[in-house]
Amino acid sequence: MTGEAAARAAEWRCAGLRWDRTGPALAWQHPLRGRRTSPLSPGRPLAFTTGARRSCVGVRRGDRHTPCPTAAEVPVTAASAQCADCARLDRSYSVAADTRTDDPRPYDVYLAWFGPGLTKVGITAAEREGVRLLEQAALSFTLLGRGPLMAARRAEAVLGAALGVPDRIPYAAKRGGRLAPPPPRERATELATLYGRARELPGWPESLEALPCAPVHHDEIFGLGRIRSLDGVVALAPGSTVAGTVEAVAGPDVHLRTADGRMPLLDARRLAGWALSAAAPGSAMTAEVQPLPAPATEPERLF
């Protein structure tokens, strides 16, 4: 590693947004000082300026972090904050990439609701207790069954083939579903109907334990009632200042309110990899706020 690359690697850098059952937080990574988080509670001021470049965040598996050996630069518009080599290493032993089929943990099959007519099927490790649904910005969800990884994968495939339920929803469609969503009871009814159709399908693996339909709603933890508009998405670039108040957080999206009353969206997937310096509260927003992309143009990506 060159002296310049070593200096860049020695900075605190944003590692993206992390969820647990208590709420969202920004994660920070330093090669010598380790890792820390900053909670993103509603009403919290957020003001920072980006550094000179966006760098690869390396590979994290559990509590172990492997820095990128070259501190490679990552495009500012990329949804992933990993260079090609680190991304390849990360996916070499991944449930999502079907390269970890020997995982002995039990997995849950779920139905996730993002908006009217926007329901997907997916799987998540049972030990995560629904955190994956917070990461994906599901407004509501219900579990279908629990069992070995490959049985859960088969059930996911059965739903996709027989009922046409997708395994991903475009991010732009998810964002639109947050504006004035129907009340939880209506979402629960839609989930229950699809749950009933799913449970009647033949071909369910015998090793998959059926779970009752018990919809969970994320209105409060996301702060849906505080989302009044979607006034574009923040486009980060070197030396950009972002300033506002956190109004709501759903999945990787931080909904801000700026001093002039706008509500732009900060995509924390694109925040990862930047070294950030504090800006004064009330600073002017110099980062460009671009129109939100149409639903068909931005497929969902794992983060």
Side-chain angles (χ1 to χ4, degrees):
M1 182 182 293
T2 66
E4 181 182 357
R8 288 195 299 265
E11 298 177 298
W12 276 105
R13 289 188 177 270
C14 183
L17 191 151
R18 299 292 182 266
W19 278 94
D20 61 25
R21 296 305 305 179
T22 66
L26 285 180
W28 304 90
Q29 186 69 47
H30 191 281
L32 301 177
R33 301 179 186 177
R35 191 167 180 262
R36 62 182 176 87
T37 58
S38 304
L40 284 175
S41 52
R44 173 179 176 168
L46 192 65
F48 61 83
T49 300
T50 55
R53 74 200 294 270
R54 186 186 184 200
S55 299
C56 176
V57 295
V59 177
R60 172 168 291 280
R61 287 181 182 158
D63 293 330
R64 182 178 179 182
H65 175 249
T66 303
C68 178
T70 62
E73 186 168 4
V74 177
V76 298
T77 58
S80 171
Q82 290 177 313
C83 68
D85 288 341
C86 287
R88 191 177 303 111
L89 176 62
D90 202 14
R91 292 180 70 83
S92 66
Y93 191 56
S94 165
V95 170
D98 284 331
T99 57
R100 192 181 174 184
T101 57
D102 59 345
D103 190 336
R105 297 175 297 173
Y107 275 77
D108 288 338
V109 184
Y110 62 80
L111 294 171
W113 192 98
F114 298 92
L118 296 174
T119 303
K120 62 158 281 187
V121 61
I123 69 170
T124 181
E127 65 186 28
R128 301 202 68 202
E129 299 181 335
V131 170
R132 182 64 181 140
L133 282 303
L134 295 170
E135 294 172 345
Q136 291 187 350
L139 304 190
S140 303
F141 77 94
T142 186
L143 300 181
L144 274 168
R146 177 173 296 168
L149 172 59
M150 297 315 293
R153 277 286 189 224
R154 175 172 171 77
E156 182 183 38
V158 167
L159 261 72
L163 300 181
V165 182
D167 62 1
R168 57 187 59 198
I169 300 290
Y171 264 104
K174 292 181 182 182
R175 291 163 177 166
R178 295 174 207 153
L179 287 172
R185 66 177 179 276
E186 293 186 21
R187 294 178 238 157
T189 298
E190 189 173 331
L191 283 170
T193 299
L194 186 55
Y195 174 96
R197 293 176 62 198
R199 293 306 310 167
E200 292 173 357
L201 291 174
W204 283 90
E206 294 182 0
S207 57
L208 197 71
E209 173 194 2
L211 296 176
C213 182
V216 176
H217 308 290
H218 291 151
D219 300 54
E220 183 174 352
I221 195 168
F222 284 167
L224 294 183
R226 293 185 291 272
I227 300 176
R228 304 300 181 191
S229 62
L230 296 175
D231 299 328
V233 61
V234 175
L236 297 173
S240 298
T241 295
V242 175
T245 301
V246 176
E247 288 291 316
V249 183
D253 293 339
V254 182
H255 294 261
L256 297 173
R257 183 179 296 279
T258 61
D260 60 3
R262 291 184 301 165
M263 291 195 70
L265 184 151
L266 176 64
D267 186 341
R269 296 175 303 164
R270 291 170 171 81
L271 189 58
W274 288 101
L276 305 178
S277 59
S283 295
M285 171 93 79
T286 65
E288 182 183 0
V289 177
Q290 299 176 339
L292 290 164
T297 65
E298 189 185 2
E300 179 189 68
R301 298 176 178 89
L302 298 176
F303 61 92

